[in-house]
Amino acid sequence: MSIRLDTPVQYLKGVGPRRAQIFSGAGIQSTGDLLRNRPARYQDRTNFKLIRDLNLDEEAVIRCRVIVAGRYTTPIKRVQIFEMVVSDRSGSMPVKFFNQPYLERVFRKEQEVILFGTVRNDPYVNSIGLVNPDYELIESDAEPMVHTGRIVPIYRKLGQLTTKQIRQLVSQALHDLDPNIEDTLPEEIKQKYGFPHLRVALEQLHFPAASPGQEPELLKRLETWRTPAQRRFIFEDFYSFQLGLQVLKKQREIFPKKRHIRIYPSVRETIKSVLPFHPTAAQKRVVKEIADDLCSSKVMNRLLQGDVGSGKTIVALQAILVVIENGFQAALMAPTEILASQHYERISAYLAKTRYRIGLLTSSVKGAARKHLLTAVQEGKINLLIGTHALIQKKVTFKDLALVVVDEQHRFGVLQRSLLSQKGDRPDTLVMTATPIPRSLALTLYGDLDLSVIDEMPPGRQPVHTILKTSRNRKEVYALVAEELEKGRQAFVVYPLIEESEKIDLKAATEMAEHLRTEVFKNYTVELLHGRLKADVKEELMQRFKSGETQILVSTTVIEVGIDIPNASVMLIEHAERFGLSQLHQLRGRIGRGAYLSYCILIADRFGSREAFERLDIMRKTSDGFKISEKDLELRGPGEFLGTRQSGMPEFIFGSIVRDRDLLAAAHSEAETRLEQVLEVSGNQQSRALKEIQQQWQKRFSLYGVG
Ligand code: ADP
Ligand code: MG
């Protein structure tokens, strides 16, 4: 029978209704799904041995013959045992199987068989032997082996289905598969990257062939996912995702904006008059990129990347000014109330001399004040509305929203991004990230956005001095802090607060603050800031620290993002080993913003392992946020790196954005090329191609809603 990739699994030999149901539960409907169920790992089962040469505890493959076989039940525990004695030309040994009485019908006397298993000592007969080995009957030498005598795939168990059963079904499906199945990748791409045809790739994915003696070599490549067949599937995974993103992007570009935005001389003058300093060359460059987008008829969807402290805020401010000078409204959304009010204050100060009105909307703006504000926004009397996710609530409506700026993006779901955009008539969107995002991750999360990078720091920054200490050096550390306070500087003390142990952590932070206040730094003001405090209390605390009234701010990680206090010159981080590198980098970015030499002190309780030390040592060695985040991504993986469970990351079957960076970049550029080709062909054909890409995409990544 000829099987195709879209043949439902229940039509496969060996799959009845029960198995079909198990497969369906694991998302496997078609033969194609089954064949794309990737092996979790591989095992080299070519280590053929003679019975005489077997060693205890080693994994071995033995080709032998059944001498005697029989079944019995243990008297007390009533376990069914099938036992046989097998022999080869060097000797014989016992083999036992538990609870598989049907084997009686499988192994007949004289049957030739290949066994694979770990050699164990059988205490009853005082001899080495095998227990529950994988086996393969030899009917004729021409049949290729499936379970032994080769490199075999090991699958995750699916319901009741064992890896051996799955292997058997995959082998059967490949055997019956139509030899002329159509390939899903274009010929040019396969040639360019040396990828095999789909048919061959599927075979090599599950049953990789090695020439005799080359198995260990091949196994190594398989384990690191470097074989051409494996790389083909990794590429395809990324490619279909990137294609989908490209289609999304193009679709947004198809409908032109109705508004016209110009950079009038008055715009330039306003910008010049409000900017407190000269922009860096990098800031100028990205402002130009953004301004070009604003003036173009295509809707802007741009990601602005820049390390902490690189000055993203004034770049956003310039974009905002362009828009409001043209008579439209802008919105700026920040992830926390503290950040939103900081933006509000700073921008209000910058724009104090202009005629523009700025509003602040957070959950603490209530009652009449809120109503008043919302009306003003709706009537267009507010030119710029700054706020938290309160901005995306239904009741907020704009008169003419033309620009949406989202600060510290990866804290917002992709969905929230799109909700805000829906409040205007295809507004331009500028997304700013707090953490430098490694390119591989940016391509995945933001592949549908254009990218601008600020790769230069404002002048006059002093590099932050980073010091690693254990808690035994606490006295020394406090002395350093005291010295800074004496000079008139301020200090942050940060405590990790892990969700699972929040209460205990908060208690520790509270006690630490108390200890610092009453004993170590008696002569200074010490305050504690944490996430459980009410918004207005937090706000007051921040104000007192900003104004210099408080010298030491003990805090849980709520200060992580965005806070700007140039007079703070010390960042002391407790339990530094509990933070991710990017988080530490963010925290460190809070200091060294003034003209003073600053210190970031990382206290780790125990360096536990060498690894923990080496990890923290990276902080000492580099201040390059992109390098740090690459390393962080590598060490922790994307889920942890993004720090949110719902990070909007798609699930790739084969690809790892850390391991397969090269293929991800390749897939991105190939997808761009492909889409250009699609857009060159005319009408019907084009829309059919686009539709197909989208359907594919939705099937694979449907859970990943993109806005
Ligand atoms: P981030 O990119 O982390 O959001 P900010 O926008 O908060 O950084 O800017 C960090 C600090 O650098 C702020 O105090 C800001 O006023 C200052 N700054 C930004 N651009 C410049 C510049 N071109 N020259 C001098 N200082 C600048
Ligand atoms: Mg910022």
Side-chain angles (χ1 to χ4, degrees):
M1 182 176 69
S2 189
I3 294 282
R4 298 183 342 168
L5 290 177
D6 58 2
T7 306
V9 278
Q10 65 257 36
Y11 297 148
L12 292 177
K13 233 180 258 171
V15 182
R18 201 182 61 90
R19 285 186 172 181
Q21 194 163 13
I22 292 175
F23 278 134
S24 164
I28 296 173
Q29 317 287 356
S30 67
T31 304
D33 296 341
L34 175 65
L35 294 179
R36 281 176 194 271
N37 174 42
R38 74 179 174 90
R41 58 196 179 85
Y42 299 85
Q43 203 169 45
D44 182 0
R45 295 185 177 179
T46 58
N47 178 24
F48 277 96
K49 286 254 173 151
L50 287 174
I51 293 176
R52 182 183 57 206
D53 299 332
L54 293 178
N55 298 311
L56 201 58
D57 294 331
E58 81 176 338
E59 284 186 333
V61 193
I62 304 120
R63 181 165 180 155
C64 48
R65 201 174 284 280
V66 178
I67 306 292
V68 286
R71 162 166 84 92
Y72 61 92
T73 307
T74 60
I76 299 167
K77 291 196 178 152
R78 314 291 310 161
V79 183
Q80 302 231 41
I81 295 182
F82 175 77
E83 184 166 14
M84 56 190 192
V85 174
V86 297
S87 81
D88 62 12
R89 64 186 159 82
S90 75
S92 63
M93 67 169 179
V95 179
K96 276 184 186 169
F97 294 90
F98 290 90
N99 292 323
Q100 298 174 63
Y102 62 89
L103 289 178
E104 202 173 20
R105 274 165 281 134
V106 176
F107 294 107
R108 295 286 158 82
K109 211 173 152 186
E110 287 304 306
Q111 169 71 53
E112 211 182 335
V113 60
I114 294 179
L115 302 171
F116 168 83
T118 306
V119 179
R120 301 275 181 228
N121 194 43
D122 186 335
Y124 294 98
V125 288
N126 195 24
S127 149
I128 56 169
L130 296 175
V131 178
N132 291 334
D134 263 15
Y135 58 84
E136 193 140 4
L137 307 182
I138 301 184
E139 312 293 354
S140 85
D141 273 331
E143 277 291 294
M145 287 177 282
V146 176
H147 306 288
T148 59
R150 60 170 312 133
I151 292 180
V152 300
I154 309 289
Y155 304 93
R156 258 174 307 116
K157 230 180 145 214
L158 298 175
Q160 301 288 319
L161 283 174
T162 64
T163 191
K164 182 171 181 183
Q165 288 165 328
I166 298 169
R167 192 185 302 128
Q168 184 65 46
L169 293 171
V170 169
S171 157
Q172 184 73 51
L174 281 171
H175 181 265
D176 295 343
L177 189 65
D178 183 344
N180 302 316
I181 53 167
E182 217 181 296
D183 204 342
T184 37
L185 275 184
E187 201 55 44
E188 312 93 75
I189 288 187
K190 276 184 291 179
Q191 293 225 330
K192 183 163 167 192
Y193 297 95
F195 296 144
H197 184 276
L198 179 58
R199 183 82 171 75
V200 178
L202 285 170
E203 249 151 45
Q204 292 301 311
L205 174 70
H206 296 281
F207 297 102
S211 14
Q214 297 302 303
E215 290 89 358
E217 192 55 40
L218 177 58
L219 186 68
K220 241 187 241 152
R221 270 183 297 135
L222 286 164
E223 277 169 348
T224 45
W225 285 78
R226 303 313 283 174
T227 71
Q230 290 172 319
R231 282 172 62 81
R232 185 208 136 104
F233 289 110
I234 294 168
F235 177 89
E236 217 177 342
D237 226 7
F238 291 149
Y239 181 65
S240 57
F241 183 72
Q242 292 294 333
L243 260 181
L245 285 185
Q246 294 302 320
V247 171
L248 207 76
K249 181 172 168 182
K250 285 289 177 275
Q251 275 176 338
R252 279 195 303 236
E253 291 172 3
I254 286 172
F255 301 101
K257 299 182 275 204
K258 282 190 219 111
R259 59 183 170 273
H260 293 286
I261 286 185
R262 299 254 153 69
I263 312 284
Y264 301 103
S266 70
V267 179
R268 290 182 199 283
E269 261 150 46
T270 309
I271 289 177
K272 228 174 169 179
S273 74
V274 306
L275 281 194
F277 30 63
H278 291 291
T280 61
Q283 283 171 324
K284 276 190 203 154
R285 191 188 65 238
V286 302
V287 166
K288 168 125 188 11
E289 287 165 358
I290 295 167
D292 285 348
D293 280 0
L294 292 173
C295 297
S296 121
S297 65
K298 277 194 207 161
V299 178
M300 170 172 84
N301 273 288
R302 192 169 277 282
L303 176 67
L304 176 57
Q305 282 228 59
D307 209 344
V308 276
S310 61
K312 293 184 286 289
T313 316
I314 61 152
V315 169
L317 178 63
Q318 291 176 70
I320 289 167
L321 281 171
V322 169
V323 165
I324 60 184
E325 278 277 329
N326 275 272
F328 298 97
Q329 288 173 296
L332 169 58
M333 180 159 79
T336 64
E337 231 162 276
I338 291 186
L339 260 188
S341 18
Q342 177 180 289
H343 278 315
Y344 176 73
E345 273 159 40
R346 266 215 253 164
I347 293 178
S348 300
Y350 290 152
L351 301 190
K353 281 177 284 171
T354 68
R355 60 187 188 284
Y356 296 123
R357 287 185 59 196
I358 305 164
L360 175 66
L361 181 68
T362 65
S363 50
S364 345
V365 181
K366 293 198 178 94
R370 190 182 191 88
K371 223 170 167 186
H372 188 72
L373 177 63
L374 290 183
T375 313
V377 172
Q378 188 174 15
E379 289 171 352
K381 287 180 187 148
I382 296 284
N383 306 91
L384 167 63
L385 184 62
I386 299 175
T388 54
H389 47 265
L391 292 191
I392 57 182
Q393 282 162 358
K394 263 222 180 74
K395 286 209 177 129
V396 184
T397 50
F398 290 82
K399 178 159 178 272
D400 212 344
L401 180 64
L403 173 67
V404 169
V405 181
V406 184
D407 195 13
E408 321 294 4
Q409 149 71 15
H410 71 259
R411 303 227 152 185
F412 288 109
V414 203
L415 194 64
Q416 283 161 315
R417 202 200 320 159
S418 80
L419 282 177
L420 189 52
S421 303
Q422 283 161 24
K423 294 198 176 290
D425 182 11
R426 286 193 286 282
D428 292 305
T429 302
L430 180 67
V431 169
M432 307 198 286
T433 60
T435 318
I437 296 189
R439 181 171 144 77
S440 56
L441 198 54
L443 283 180
T444 316
L445 277 178
Y446 309 113
D448 59 326
L449 307 185
D450 293 315
L451 182 64
S452 288
V453 182
I454 308 182
D455 50 7
E456 177 187 0
M457 284 292 180
R461 288 282 161 81
Q462 298 241 28
V464 175
H465 220 75
T466 301
I467 305 169
L468 276 182
K469 293 282 177 193
T470 63
S471 37
R472 258 180 293 157
N473 308 108
R474 207 168 274 283
K475 274 222 174 95
E476 217 181 291
V477 169
Y478 288 154
L480 175 65
V481 176
E483 219 173 283
E484 286 299 296
L485 297 178
E486 209 47 47
K487 286 188 225 158
R489 301 288 84 73
Q490 291 162 282
F492 289 107
V493 177
V494 175
Y495 247 84
L497 205 146
I498 315 283
E499 243 174 80
E500 294 86 66
S501 54
E502 197 184 312
K503 267 197 189 141
I504 304 168
D505 287 342
L506 188 54
K507 187 158 167 267
T510 312
E511 279 168 10
M512 178 54 93
E514 212 38 51
H515 173 65
L516 295 180
R517 175 168 25 224
T518 55
E519 286 166 48
V520 190
F521 298 109
K522 275 191 284 219
N523 304 328
Y524 300 97
T525 320
V526 180
E527 290 198 295
L528 174 68
L529 174 74
H530 61 82
R532 292 266 186 98
L533 295 173
K534 287 229 178 71
D536 49 340
V537 178
K538 278 192 227 169
E539 184 59 28
E540 280 163 28
L541 272 170
M542 272 329 291
Q543 282 307 347
R544 283 201 292 277
F545 192 60
K546 260 186 209 175
S547 69
E549 209 182 315
T550 309
Q551 277 89 35
I552 299 180
L553 188 67
V554 181
S555 146
T556 56
T557 49
V558 285
I559 54 157
E560 188 184 330
V561 286
I563 294 301
D564 194 31
I565 293 163
N567 191 46
S569 65
V570 178
M571 170 65 64
L572 195 169
I573 303 175
E574 296 278 354
H575 299 289
E577 77 281 359
R578 292 214 227 152
F579 291 92
L581 290 179
S582 311
Q583 263 178 314
L584 292 174
H585 181 66
Q586 277 294 314
L587 287 168
R588 182 169 62 184
R590 300 300 117 224
I591 54 168
R593 293 184 157 229
Y596 318 108
L597 183 58
S598 313
Y599 302 90
C600 174
I601 309 164
L602 305 176
I603 298 191
D605 264 355
R606 302 151 265 145
F607 283 115
S609 57
R610 221 187 140 69
E611 259 171 323
F613 177 79
E614 273 167 16
R615 196 168 69 91
L616 290 177
D617 205 41
I618 294 169
M619 294 302 297
R620 225 170 38 80
K621 288 193 191 126
T622 180
S623 56
D624 180 330
F626 282 95
K627 267 195 204 141
I628 289 173
S629 64
E630 280 289 353
K631 197 76 203 164
D632 198 24
L633 178 64
E634 201 179 300
L635 290 171
R636 294 195 299 162
E640 287 278 313
F641 177 87
L642 292 167
T644 40
R645 251 156 246 139
Q646 280 184 311
S647 55
M649 270 300 285
E651 295 252 343
F652 295 114
I653 303 177
F654 296 95
S656 147
I657 64 165
V658 176
R659 186 192 58 207
D660 310 314
R661 273 177 274 199
D662 58 332
L663 287 178
L664 179 57
H668 177 75
S669 77
E670 294 298 343
E672 275 182 339
T673 313
R674 171 89 186 104
L675 204 72
E676 272 160 32
Q677 290 166 356
V678 169
L679 295 180
E680 269 165 27
V681 301
S682 61
N684 266 343
Q685 225 180 329
Q686 183 189 103
S687 51
R688 214 174 320 127
L690 287 176
K691 210 170 193 174
E692 201 173 302
I693 292 173
Q694 268 191 308
Q695 277 169 349
Q696 283 261 350
W697 196 68
Q698 253 152 16
K699 209 175 120 207
R700 286 287 283 285
F701 302 103
S702 57
L703 292 177
Y704 172 75
V706 155

